[in-house]
Amino acid sequence: MAVVTSTTPSSGQTCLQIWWRRTTGSEMLRFNGGGHINHTIFCTNLSPNGGGEPQSELMEAIKRDFGSFQKMKEKMSSATVAVQGSGWGWLGFDKENGRLRIAACANQDPLQGTTGLIPLLGIDVWEHAYYLQYKNVRPDYVKAIWNIINWENINERFQAAKK
């Protein structure tokens, strides 16, 4: 993760931002590379021992930026369910202003390369992520996924993003 979020001395951009800019003309590379980045984050964001609420500074940042944990969940769930077709819902960190933000990305577009936000929590809403268990009822899948969110991982990502 440090490679993705750290900046290069010569440009002040992250490696992901440089990669995104250079692959804009290569849809296949961008699609497959973005898919790898997104799924790598997604897999670490989940745990069979997950759920509950975040602790410490992350919870304070959520309360500051969204009013409450419940409001953040509702806003992120709504943005994620509303993705047209396939894509991702994200909780990201805006390093420029030190705030958490909710965003959605289409297809496999990675959050940082698309919006500049550092990805903390991603929810995959491609049908392959939920169809066998939830059929085409995306809202049920998004509601249930909060029960396996690995807040320790997201807190680690938050701490790294702030550096």
Side-chain angles (χ1 to χ4, degrees), residues 120-134:
L120 304 178
L121 167 61
I123 300 177
D124 182 352
V125 288
W126 282 70
E127 283 189 345
H128 68 249
Y130 61 90
Y131 189 79
L132 291 177
Q133 189 169 356
Y134 295 96

Side-chain angles (χ1 to χ4, degrees), residues 8-126:
T8 60
S10 60
S11 70
Q13 294 181 310
T14 67
C15 294
L16 181 58
Q17 288 168 323
I18 293 168
W19 170 80
W20 182 257
R21 190 180 70 241
R22 290 187 180 168
T23 61
T24 300
S26 173
E27 293 301 316
M28 188 172 93
L29 180 60
R30 187 172 69 182
F31 180 83
N32 291 307
H36 173 72
I37 291 166
N38 294 346
H39 284 94
T40 298
I41 295 167
F42 180 65
C43 289
T44 63
N45 281 172
L46 304 177
S47 169
N49 302 316
E53 296 183 356
Q55 303 299 314
S56 64
E57 288 181 64
L58 178 58
M59 179 60 109
E60 293 306 312
I62 288 170
K63 288 177 181 177
R64 177 196 68 216
D65 297 337
F66 301 102
S68 71
F69 177 69
Q70 186 61 35
K71 287 180 183 175
M72 182 277 297
K73 273 179 59 175
E74 290 168 3
K75 185 173 182 177
M76 185 167 175
S77 294
S78 293
T80 302
V81 168
V83 170
Q84 294 294 309
S86 299
W88 294 79
W90 292 100
L91 173 65
F93 181 70
D94 185 337
K95 194 165 184 136
E96 189 173 308
N97 67 27
R99 300 280 186 181
L100 299 173
R101 289 188 29 212
I102 304 293
C105 294
N107 301 313
Q108 296 288 23
D109 293 357
L111 181 67
Q112 193 168 9
T114 306
T115 67
L117 299 175
I118 298 170
L120 304 178
L121 167 61
I123 300 177
D124 182 352
V125 288
W126 282 70

